[in-house]
Amino acid sequence: HGKKADFPSIPAAAAFNELAADIGEWVKIRIDEEKHTIEVKAHKIIEEKAKLRATQIALNKLNESQQWIEAQQKQAKLRSQRSQQFKVNLIYFARWITSGWSGWLFYLTSFSIFVFLGFGFGVNYPSVIACSSIKSYCYLLRLDKTTLVIPPKPQQQTRQKN
């Protein structure tokens, strides 16, 4: 019996089993911790992606609003330029109208147009004004020929009464 046994004794085997169980439990705890760490990291990554997406959407909206503002500013600038150009053109036109023959021609043309329109409206608009005869300008220039014509006064009756 002087030989040593190659197998450990039973208390040593129990200690090894207990050590193996402890190592297994430690590995299991460690795996659970790693799973939890991975889940936390995955959750953080998802949150970061969501924040990044929200930031991208906000940047897009900001860019769109900046583009809108820039477009509005460009439109306002163009309106201002058109207004200024209109004022300059109006001043040039007024200077041309008031200078030399063009001023007189403009004045006479305007006067003629307003006199003609005034006469035309004056003859046609009041329907209660009667014309003196069918051959009068009052009757000839009327658009509505059904208006009254005053018959000529019988001069014989006025002479007989005198």
Side-chain angles (χ1 to χ4, degrees), residues 109-125:
T109 305
S110 300
F111 182 75
S112 302
I113 289 171
F114 284 113
V115 165
F116 178 74
L117 287 175
F119 184 74
F121 280 121
V123 168
N124 287 299
Y125 187 68

Side-chain angles (χ1 to χ4, degrees), residues 15-41:
F16 281 132
N17 285 340
E18 190 176 320
L19 181 63
D22 287 344
I23 291 174
E25 192 175 320
W26 178 81
V27 168
K28 190 176 181 183
I29 291 172
R30 191 72 185 127
I31 289 174
D32 288 342
E33 286 175 354
E34 287 295 320
K35 281 183 184 178
H36 180 69
T37 303
I38 291 171
E39 288 174 358
V40 168
K41 286 181 181 179

